[in-house]
Amino acid sequence: MAQSIAPPSPGTSTAIPATLPVKAILPWAFFFGLLMLVLLYFVGAEQGATSLISGTGVHEWVHDGRHLLGFPCH
């Protein structure tokens, strides 16, 4: 059964959802997308031949995260 929605009574206010322009979201979406790609690199590939930072410090910091996300490391 279809229900009819009664119009608001006079003197009451209705909630209007706020609109967010796409131009306001794009810089933040780009920033967080880039940040996620950098984090994915450090968790998934910062080791061995593709290493940007020498030593094993980064590997040790993200070691458990690698296993949690299914990346092989040893």
Side-chain angles (χ1 to χ4, degrees), residues 53-73:
I53 299 172
S54 63
T56 60
V58 174
H59 174 78
E60 294 303 323
W61 275 96
V62 299
H63 185 87
D64 293 336
R66 292 175 66 88
H67 290 295
L68 181 67
L69 295 173
F71 288 102
C73 66

Side-chain angles (χ1 to χ4, degrees), residues 27-54:
W28 289 103
F30 179 75
F31 171 71
F32 284 114
L34 186 62
L35 183 64
M36 290 299 114
L37 286 175
V38 168
L39 288 175
L40 183 64
Y41 168 77
F42 277 110
V43 171
E46 177 61 27
Q47 158 184 341
T50 63
S51 182
L52 295 177
I53 299 172
S54 63

